[in-house]
Amino acid sequence: MANVVVVGAQWGDEGKGKIVDWLSERADVIARFQGGHNAGHTLVIDGEVFKLHALPSGVVRGGKLSVIGNGVVLDPWHLVTEIETIRAQGVEITPETLMIAENTPLILPLHGELDRARESQNSVAKIGTTGRGIGPAYEDKVGRRVVRVADLADPATLATRVDRLLIHHGALRRGLGLPEVDRDGLIAALSEVAPKILPYAAPVWKVLNEKKSEGRRILFEGAQGALLDIDFGTYPFVTSSNVIAGQAATGTGIGPGSIDFVLGIVKAYTTRVGEGPFPTELFDEDGQRLGERGHEFGTTTGRKRRCGWFDAVLVRQTCATSGVNGIALTKLDVLDGFEELKICTGYELDGRMLDHLPTAADQQARVTPVYETMTGWSDSTAGARSWADLPGEAIKYVRRIEELIRCPVALLSTSPEREDTILVTDPFAD
Ligand code: GDP
Ligand code: IMO
Ligand code: MG
């Protein structure tokens, strides 16, 4: 039985939610393994829109087990609200259908405050974070002072954890001119939210390993995109977690050998939210048209996404670092009607040609893309459900992408709707 990892292969918002929802019909368990509610995954099912941030996209299909793994950072108050919102859309969420790893770190209000206070400092270049406390929570995890889900069960442990955390944050907050944290108020708030979270707490590593031995299929749902990875992304303009496929193992507690197929989600052009280098970014009418046709506004913050041509150099690189076996190419329909399309095939830097994005920040900011021009198509691909429905020029564009990134297309998406998806190779096939 195959277990599949889905990862974003660009800067996020590639359409992971739609593809995970589509694939989850074939899976028994859907597990998030990193990130938090900085993610925004949109699903459209028969015209109804579901926006998921902390919950795995699998919750929308009944009868599946959804899992929040230890690699995630979880804001318990946000989760309670998100569960209520999704329930109001008719989705059943119970401790039988949702499990949260007991060793998951919690995002507290002080993390969001710190995130936003740092972003508003004028002396340092902004990252353009979502302001949801993701970075500060991961810092505290690695700093061995974070409050975890299991700590909510015992008042004495909870108080000890909060005290340890506040020694560190007290000093930080004084430096930033933030008011002192009300210790007793924080403990009271955590004690109040605890009974709403604890029913879902479980030893996820054990449950997943048991499911695996029973031959159940696990679908791992990544958030963000490989270019936002803390190690391999455009540092420091990245998120604070490992985003690439290897994280699926450490972020849930299964061995790396349990991953049978890595599916990279790739948008047919490129977008980015927040600050940082973006070699193929467009500032002209083409860029505006991509943004308008693609409705490129952030699901989480509503910010306008920056848009540009497809960058094959970047995707070849991210397919390598995640060991991508096949890609799902999304939003091909957004390119309908362009007379010409450009694909970046390499970079030029100081008179030299590069076949990868350099690591040094100043070089990342200075590379200029080398383009190949392709003929566009006037027919529509929107809503296409088979290869036969695609115009010849669209097929050529897809084939050229496969060649340049050295990875085959397994799925193709032609609209936000669940069923407007073309299956080429089933990632779950044995
Ligand atoms: P995610 O963060 O990777 O899950 O992606 P988002 O949900 O943030 O952004 C992708 C957006 O594109 C969502 O609004 C989707 O409904 C939409 N979408 C997904 N696939 C397609 C597609 O093939 N065509 C079009 N036009 N929209 C799509
Ligand atoms: P999904 O899962 C796109 C970006 C932010 C910012 C940087 C750091 O929907 O693809 P953070 O709040 O994580 O510390 O912000 O990362 N970012 C995303 N961009 N899609 C996402 O998630 C993102 N999650 C974070 O805009 O540039
Ligand atoms: Mg998104």
Side-chain angles (χ1 to χ4, degrees):
M1 284 294 159
N3 299 317
V4 175
V5 177
V6 165
V7 285
Q10 289 151 320
W11 275 292
D13 303 326
E14 300 90 348
K16 297 176 291 295
K18 170 184 165 162
I19 300 296
V20 167
D21 168 61
W22 191 87
L23 280 174
S24 63
E25 190 191 11
R26 293 165 151 75
D28 302 294
V29 183
I30 298 90
R32 278 280 305 268
F33 56 88
Q34 50 71 232
H37 64 314
N38 50 348
H41 298 175
T42 311
L43 282 49
V44 185
I45 302 158
D46 292 331
E48 188 172 0
V49 179
F50 298 85
K51 288 181 191 289
L52 300 167
H53 300 280
L55 287 169
S57 296
V59 289
V60 175
R61 292 210 188 240
K64 311 284 174 183
L65 173 62
S66 286
V67 166
I68 296 179
N70 56 280
V72 167
V73 282
L74 182 69
D75 179 328
W77 298 279
H78 168 88
L79 185 72
V80 169
T81 310
E82 189 171 325
I83 289 176
E84 279 166 15
T85 308
I86 294 298
R87 271 193 190 137
Q89 288 189 272
V91 175
E92 205 188 350
I93 298 177
T94 68
E96 277 67 53
T97 60
L98 176 68
M99 278 184 194
I100 305 172
E102 295 162 318
N103 47 346
T104 305
L106 296 182
I107 302 179
L108 306 182
L110 54 80
H111 292 123
E113 285 162 24
L114 183 57
D115 191 355
R116 295 186 293 274
R118 283 175 176 162
E119 285 283 282
S120 62
Q121 280 185 316
N122 293 326
S123 52
V124 193
K126 259 175 69 148
I127 306 282
T129 72
T130 58
R132 297 198 157 188
I134 306 296
Y138 276 118
E139 289 168 33
D140 284 340
K141 168 183 173 170
V142 180
R144 295 167 291 191
R145 55 179 173 262
V146 89
V147 181
R148 308 201 298 180
V149 167
D151 302 329
L152 294 173
D154 178 51
T157 310
L158 184 60
T160 314
R161 290 279 186 272
V162 167
D163 286 337
R164 188 183 177 91
L165 186 67
L166 291 189
I167 290 174
H168 181 78
H169 279 268
L172 269 177
R173 292 171 73 91
R174 280 191 289 280
L176 286 163
L178 290 170
E180 205 162 308
V181 173
D182 167 10
R183 171 199 184 259
D184 295 342
L186 175 58
I187 293 176
L190 282 166
S191 308
E192 202 240 287
V193 82
K196 297 178 189 161
I197 298 294
L198 287 170
Y200 302 103
V204 155
W205 65 271
K206 188 166 181 287
V207 174
L208 289 186
N209 277 281
E210 282 162 6
K211 295 279 180 197
K212 207 186 79 184
S213 356
E214 290 163 14
R216 302 282 176 219
R217 292 165 154 189
I218 308 170
L219 175 58
F220 296 92
E221 176 179 6
Q224 288 81 53
L227 296 165
L228 291 169
D229 182 273
I230 187 71
D231 287 299
F232 294 100
T234 45
Y235 195 91
F237 303 99
V238 292
T239 193
S240 293
S241 65
N242 279 118
V243 166
I244 60 175
Q247 174 64 19
T250 47
T252 57
I254 54 126
S258 306
I259 299 170
D260 302 291
F261 193 99
V262 179
L263 183 70
I265 315 299
V266 177
K267 206 179 273 194
Y269 50 98
T270 314
T271 63
R272 166 162 214 174
V273 206
E275 309 303 316
F278 181 170
T280 62
E281 184 168 13
L282 290 168
F283 301 96
D284 59 5
E285 270 173 29
D286 285 334
Q288 202 173 340
R289 182 158 161 199
L290 287 172
E292 278 164 19
R293 288 189 51 98
H295 303 290
E296 297 296 354
F297 292 92
T299 312
T300 299
T301 56
R303 286 178 293 174
K304 203 169 170 206
R305 296 174 184 151
R306 299 154 64 191
C307 295
W309 295 122
F310 185 80
D311 189 334
V313 179
L314 292 181
V315 177
R316 188 165 60 226
Q317 192 160 330
T318 58
C319 282
T321 51
S322 273
V324 170
N325 301 102
I327 65 160
L329 189 67
T330 63
K331 304 191 91 160
L332 188 66
D333 54 293
V334 173
L335 302 181
D336 289 357
F338 274 87
E339 256 174 49
E340 283 187 338
L341 298 164
K342 286 188 178 157
I343 299 182
C344 169
T345 57
Y347 299 134
E348 203 185 312
L349 181 73
D350 302 329
R352 280 183 305 130
M353 283 297 298
L354 295 178
D355 64 356
H356 67 284
L357 186 70
T359 303
D362 69 301
Q363 297 188 5
Q364 288 189 350
R366 285 192 300 115
V367 293
T368 51
V370 175
Y371 287 116
E372 182 174 295
T373 302
M374 301 206 56
T375 313
W377 51 92
S378 48
D379 293 341
S380 166
T381 67
R385 294 187 182 183
S386 81
W387 272 103
D389 295 337
L390 298 176
E393 300 299 341
I395 293 177
K396 275 190 204 158
Y397 183 76
V398 175
R399 291 295 183 218
R400 186 64 185 137
I401 285 179
E402 288 181 314
E403 236 167 53
L404 288 166
I405 66 170
R406 299 182 197 136
C407 197
V409 167
L411 288 159
L412 201 72
S413 167
T414 57
S415 103
E417 269 288 344
R418 179 190 267 174
E419 297 305 332
D420 292 339
T421 306
I422 301 172
L423 176 66
V424 182
T425 309
D426 186 351
F428 279 112
D430 289 322

